[in-house]
Amino acid sequence: MTYDDIPHLSAKIKPKQQKVELEMAIDTLNPNYCRSKGEQIALNVDGACADETSTYSSKLMDKQTFCSSQTTSNTSRYAAALYRQGELHLTPLHGILQLRPSFSYLDKADAKHREREAANEAGDSSQDEAEEDVKQITVRFSRPESEQARQRRVQSYEFLQKKHAEEPWVHLHYYGLRDSRSEHERQYLLCQGSSGAENTELVKSPSEYLMMLMPPSQEEEKDKPVAPSNVLSMAQLRTLPLADQIKILMKNVKVMPFANLMSLLGPSVDSVAVLRGIQKVAMLVQGNWVVKSDILYPKDSSSPHSGVPAEVLCRGRDFVMWKFTQSRWVVRKEVAAVTKLCTEDVKDFLEHMAVVRINKGWEFILPYDGEFIKKHPDVVQRQHMLWTGIQAKLEKVYNLVKEAMPKKPDGQSGPVGLVSGDQRVQVAKRQAQQNHALLERELQRRKEQLQASAVLPGVRIKEEPMSEEGEDEEEREAEDEEPMDTSPGSGLHGGLANGLPAGRAAGGDSFNGHPPSGSAGSPVARELRAFVQATFQKQFVLTLSELKRLFNLHLASLPPGHMLFSGISDRMLQDTVLAAGCKQILVPFPPQTAASPDEQKVFALWESGDISDQHRQVLLEIFSKNYRVRRNMIQARLTQECGEDLSKQEVDKVLKDCCVSYGGMWYLKGTVQS
C-alpha cells in the first residue's frame, strides 16, 4: 500500500507558526492491528461515556495524528528536483517540515485519570462530612501592571505557548497524487522558458554553478578549526597572518628550535619577522623556544586537576622554565615543594618541555642549541634581561635564596656532558691564568694608589688588615659596589665592570682625576635619571629590589647597544634615586624578617608637585617609626597634621599611592611579608 492509498480524514495548518497537523486513519481490519489494545487506549482517553468531545467516537483507536517540526533553519542549500525528458528542473525551497506522530492523546488519558481520582476522593469526603464547614474567603484586588512586568510576561514561555494555542487552525483539503489538481500544481516545478539560451545563469563553469547552487554555510565557516588540535592542515595554517601561525604552532608543539620553526613556516618567510613574532609568544631556554605560560593558561581559566587559577599555574610553570635555564635536569619533588601545586599540575609542566629519566629526574627535551646562541646575540641578551626580571619576581613570591653561582653570558645553561681528565686540567690552567692576571692588575692598582699618595700628601690611603675579619669586610664592600647584572658579559670577568674592578668602575669617587661614567652630566646618568623619575611618578614607593626588577624590564625593552647596557651599579642607581627628589625611608623591619637587604631598602618620592605631597610626607614619617600601622592611627595623625577638613577620599588616595592592606594592617608597598 502506497502513501496515496492511505485514507486521510483531515489536514490543518497554522500559517504563522508554519505548523501542519495531519490526521490519518488506521486500518482496524488489518490482521496486524491489535483490537484489544486499541479499545484499551480509547477507553483510557475518552472514558466509558462517548460524547461529541471524544477523541475516538468508535470506542477504538482508529486514527493517528502527525504534527510537523522544522528540520533545519537554513534551507537555502536545498532544492526540489524534477527530471523530465532529459532535463533536470530545480526549484529552491523556503521551508522543510517533517511529520512526526503526535502522542497528545496520552496526555488526555492522564488528565482523565487524574479527574477520576479527584472525583473519587471528593465523593468519599462528602460521605464522611455531614455538613460542610463555612470557610472564610479572602478577596484581593490585583495591582496595576507595570510596563517592565508586562514585558517580562509577554516574553515568558507560558505567554508564547498561549499565543500559539490561540492561533486558529486552517483546515485543508488533501488531493491525492494522481488527482488533476495535484498534476496542475506540479507543473509549477517545471521551468516555463521556451529554450535553454534564456537561462543566463547556466553560462558559467560547473564549479561556479555548484557554488551558486550550494553556497558554503555560515555555520560551517564558524565551526572551522582554528588550531592544529582541531586538525588544521598546513595549507590552512599558511593562510593565517604570520603572528597567528607562530602562536598556533608554539601552542601545540610547546618546545621547538628556531630552525624547525622556520622550516614549518616556509622558505619565503622573513627570519627577522619570525624572530620578532616568536618573542611575543615564547621564551628562550637553552637556545630553544618554549611557549609562554600565559598562552597555555589564559586569564580566567583554571587547572583541570586542582582548579587553581591561571595566575598560579603561570607562576609555577615559569619556575620550571627558569630552572631549565640554570640546568638540564629538574627534580619534580623540588618543583612541587616550592610551588605548592598538586602532582598532576607539576607533571603537566614538565611533560611540556622535558622527558623523565629513571633515577635521575626530568631532562630538558631538546639539546642545547649553541648555533642559535652564537648567531643571534642581541636576542639572547634581550631574553636574558627578561629572565632576570622573572627570576626576581619568583624569588620574591617563593622566598627563594639567591644561588651563589656564576651566570653564563647568554643566561642559558650550556650542554651537559662527560668531561675528561685532560679537559679538567686545561680548565684549571685557564682559571689559574685568569686569577694571576687579576692579581697582577690589583697589585698595579695598589702601586698607583701609593704613588698618588706620595705626590698628593693630603690624600690618605686606608690600610686594611689582611685578617679574616678584614677580608669579610672587604667582600661586603665589594658586594655593595657590585654592578647589577644588566648585560650578557657581566659574569665573564669575575666582578669586573668594563674591564676594571667593581670598586673602581662603579664607585662614586673620581679615578685619577677623571669623573666616572655615571657622573650627573653624562648621557648615561641623564637617561637613568629619566627612568627613575618616570617610575616614581607612577609608583610613589619602591624597594630597591622592585626598582631593580623594573629597571631590568626596562632594559629588555631597549634596542641592543643602548647606553644603559654599559653597566649600572646598585650605588649609582641609589644615588640617582636620591638625586631625583626621593628619600630613603628607614622602615623598622621586625628582627625575624625574611626580607632581603634590597627589600629592606625603601625609597619614596618626597615631592611630586601635587596637593597630596603633605599627606604623603606625614604618612612616610609614620612608617619611618612603625613597620605596620592601623588605619585609625593614620587617620588621626593626618587629621592632626593637616587639619580637620581632611576627607575620606583624600586619605584613601594617599593610602593607595603608598601602602597595601594585609590582615587589617597597613604596610608600605613592598615591605609586607606574607
Side-chain angles (χ1 to χ4, degrees):
M1 185 172 61
T2 63
Y3 180 81
D4 195 47
D5 296 332
I6 299 176
H8 293 75
L9 298 181
S10 65
K12 52 187 178 180
I13 183 173
K14 288 186 176 182
K16 292 183 179 179
Q17 304 177 36
Q18 294 185 354
K19 185 176 181 180
V20 176
E21 194 172 280
L22 189 64
E23 199 174 71
M24 303 173 61
I26 299 177
D27 185 8
T28 58
L29 301 178
N30 193 292
N32 296 323
Y33 180 80
C34 182
R35 190 174 185 85
S36 61
K37 191 67 175 178
E39 292 175 351
Q40 183 63 44
I41 293 175
L43 180 62
N44 294 339
V45 173
D46 298 328
C49 300
D51 53 15
E52 296 180 354
T53 61
S54 299
T55 303
Y56 304 109
S57 57
S58 63
K59 295 185 179 182
L60 192 67
M61 183 180 177
D62 56 357
K63 57 185 178 182
Q64 175 68 56
T65 303
F66 292 85
C67 289
S68 65
S69 62
Q70 286 191 355
T71 58
T72 179
S73 58
N74 182 16
T75 59
S76 60
R77 302 178 59 196
Y78 298 92
L82 187 63
Y83 185 77
R84 178 169 294 183
Q85 297 179 0
E87 296 178 347
L88 181 65
H89 300 261
L90 299 176
T91 303
L93 300 180
H94 298 284
I96 301 176
L97 300 179
Q98 182 181 14
L99 290 174
R100 296 180 179 179
S102 174
F103 300 97
S104 58
Y105 61 88
L106 296 179
D107 298 334
K108 190 175 181 180
D110 292 341
K112 286 281 186 182
H113 180 69
R114 286 193 294 269
E115 289 177 2
R116 285 194 295 267
E117 289 184 348
N120 293 335
E121 292 177 0
D124 295 340
S125 62
S126 62
Q127 294 176 3
D128 296 338
E129 297 178 1
E131 184 179 352
E132 293 185 358
D133 296 335
V134 178
K135 295 183 179 180
Q136 183 179 359
I137 299 176
T138 303
V139 180
R140 294 182 180 180
F141 296 93
S142 61
R143 297 180 180 179
E145 187 179 27
S146 63
E147 181 64 21
Q148 187 177 5
R150 190 190 69 82
Q151 291 180 357
R152 286 199 301 267
R153 180 175 59 83
V154 169
Q155 296 175 359
S156 65
Y157 176 77
E158 291 79 9
F159 182 82
L160 295 176
Q161 288 294 103
K162 183 179 178 181
K163 292 291 289 182
H164 290 169
E166 290 176 353
E167 184 180 357
W169 286 99
V170 178
H171 291 272
L172 305 175
H173 181 73
Y174 176 78
Y175 295 94
L177 180 64
R178 301 179 182 87
D179 193 275
S180 59
R181 180 66 181 268
S182 298
E183 182 65 27
H184 176 73
E185 291 292 332
R186 197 156 45 246
Q187 293 298 322
Y188 289 110
L189 298 177
L190 300 176
C191 181
Q192 303 301 321
S194 58
S195 63
E198 298 179 0
N199 297 327
T200 57
E201 293 293 339
L202 297 180
V203 189
K204 294 181 181 294
S205 64
S207 60
E208 291 176 341
Y209 175 68
L210 288 177
M211 184 62 67
M212 293 174 58
L213 180 63
M214 298 183 64
S217 173
Q218 295 181 356
E219 296 179 358
E220 291 183 359
E221 290 179 355
K222 293 180 181 178
D223 295 338
K224 284 184 178 179
V226 295
S229 59
N230 290 338
V231 198
L232 180 65
S233 65
M234 291 301 298
Q236 292 174 319
L237 182 67
R238 287 172 180 171
T239 61
L240 301 176
L242 180 60
D244 293 340
Q245 295 184 45
I246 297 174
K247 182 177 180 180
I248 290 173
L249 288 172
M250 292 305 304
K251 185 176 180 180
N252 287 271
V253 180
K254 309 267 188 324
V255 184
M256 191 186 306
F258 185 74
N260 290 14
L261 179 62
M262 289 298 300
S263 64
L264 290 174
L265 294 176
S268 60
V269 180
D270 184 16
S271 61
V272 177
V274 176
L275 275 175
R276 192 181 301 112
I278 190 65
Q279 295 182 67
K280 297 179 181 179
V281 297
M283 297 291 293
L284 192 64
V285 178
Q286 299 190 21
N288 302 282
W289 291 99
V290 182
V291 64
K292 288 184 177 180
S293 301
D294 55 359
I295 302 295
L296 296 179
Y297 304 106
K299 192 177 181 181
D300 299 331
S301 63
S302 59
S303 168
H305 306 294
S306 59
V308 299
E311 181 181 359
V312 180
L313 293 176
C314 292
R315 195 161 55 227
R317 188 173 180 275
D318 287 345
F319 176 75
V320 175
M321 294 169 63
W322 172 75
K323 290 291 289 182
F324 276 120
T325 64
Q326 309 297 315
S327 172
R328 284 197 60 82
W329 297 90
V330 168
V331 180
R332 179 179 57 81
K333 292 183 179 179
E334 178 186 350
V335 175
V338 173
T339 60
K340 303 296 190 296
L341 292 173
C342 69
T343 305
E344 290 79 7
D345 289 334
V346 176
K347 189 175 180 182
D348 284 349
F349 300 158
L350 293 170
E351 288 178 346
H352 291 168
M353 62 193 83
V355 291
V356 63
R357 306 295 186 192
I358 299 176
N359 298 330
K360 290 186 177 181
W362 291 78
E363 184 184 11
F364 193 69
I365 194 170
L366 294 178
Y368 182 82
D369 193 352
E371 182 180 354
F372 180 85
I373 298 295
K374 296 177 182 179
K375 190 175 180 180
H376 304 280
D378 53 339
V379 177
V380 174
Q381 181 180 2
R382 185 183 297 271
Q383 289 292 310
H384 173 63
M385 296 305 162
L386 292 176
W387 276 120
T388 303
I390 293 175
Q391 178 182 353
K393 184 178 179 180
L394 293 174
E395 288 174 350
K396 185 175 182 180
V397 173
Y398 294 131
N399 295 325
L400 301 178
V401 179
K402 293 184 178 181
E403 300 178 359
M405 57 182 297
K407 296 182 180 179
K408 296 202 172 182
D410 55 8
Q412 314 292 336
S413 61
V416 179
L418 297 177
V419 181
S420 64
D422 294 340
Q423 291 176 338
R424 292 184 180 182
V425 171
Q426 295 297 330
V427 171
K429 287 182 178 180
R430 286 196 296 269
Q431 291 179 351
Q433 292 174 357
Q434 293 176 359
N435 293 336
H436 179 73
L438 292 177
L439 292 175
E440 288 289 342
R441 282 196 290 267
E442 182 65 20
L443 179 61
Q444 183 65 26
R445 183 180 70 85
R446 290 183 179 272
K447 288 182 179 180
E448 292 176 355
Q449 289 181 348
L450 291 175
Q451 293 175 0
S453 63
V455 177
L456 303 175
V459 178
R460 297 178 58 189
I461 303 299
K462 179 182 177 182
E463 296 183 2
E464 299 176 356
M466 295 308 294
S467 61
E468 294 182 359
E469 296 180 358
E471 292 176 358
D472 294 340
E473 183 179 357
E474 184 176 344
E475 290 178 0
R476 287 194 296 271
E477 292 180 358
E479 290 176 357
D480 292 339
E481 296 295 332
E482 181 184 0
M484 290 186 301
D485 188 11
T486 59
S487 63
S490 59
L492 289 176
H493 303 293
L496 300 181
N498 298 330
L500 295 175
R504 291 172 58 191
D509 301 330
S510 62
F511 176 68
N512 288 342
H514 298 284
S517 61
S519 60
S522 66
V524 175
R526 290 196 298 269
E527 189 74 18
L528 182 61
R529 180 162 182 166
F531 161 76
V532 169
Q533 290 176 341
T535 303
F536 275 93
Q537 286 293 336
K538 298 177 182 177
Q539 305 184 40
F540 293 93
V541 177
L542 287 172
T543 63
L544 180 59
S545 175
E546 179 67 11
L547 181 61
K548 290 165 63 176
R549 186 184 72 85
L550 295 175
F551 183 62
N552 283 328
L553 293 178
H554 176 65
L555 289 179
S557 64
L558 296 177
H562 194 273
M563 63 180 67
L564 287 181
F565 287 109
S566 59
I568 304 298
S569 66
D570 289 359
R571 177 65 59 82
M572 183 186 300
L573 185 61
Q574 295 179 60
D575 292 344
T576 305
V577 171
L578 298 176
C582 301
K583 289 190 177 182
Q584 183 174 358
I585 310 301
L586 302 178
V587 179
F589 283 82
Q592 68 277 12
T593 181
S596 63
D598 285 350
E599 291 176 342
Q600 296 186 30
K601 294 181 180 180
V602 184
F603 297 92
L605 182 61
W606 194 252
E607 293 182 357
S608 63
D610 58 8
I611 59 176
S612 301
D613 282 348
Q614 183 182 3
H615 308 156
R616 196 179 303 110
Q617 292 169 8
V618 173
L619 181 67
L620 295 175
E621 289 178 357
I622 295 175
F623 280 101
S624 65
K625 301 177 182 178
N626 302 274
Y627 173 62
R628 56 183 181 180
V629 188
R630 294 190 179 275
R631 182 190 173 94
N632 55 3
M633 178 180 174
I634 298 175
Q635 181 86 33
R637 182 68 180 275
L638 288 174
T639 303
Q640 178 183 355
E641 296 290 339
C642 305
E644 298 290 341
D645 57 346
L646 194 64
S647 64
K648 180 178 180 299
Q649 290 77 10
E650 292 174 328
V651 177
D652 292 340
K653 181 182 183 304
V654 71
L655 287 175
K656 182 180 179 182
D657 290 343
C658 304
C659 303
V660 291
S661 177
Y662 183 78
M665 304 293 290
W666 287 87
Y667 303 78
L668 276 184
K669 288 183 177 179
T671 62
V672 60
Q673 301 294 318
S674 58

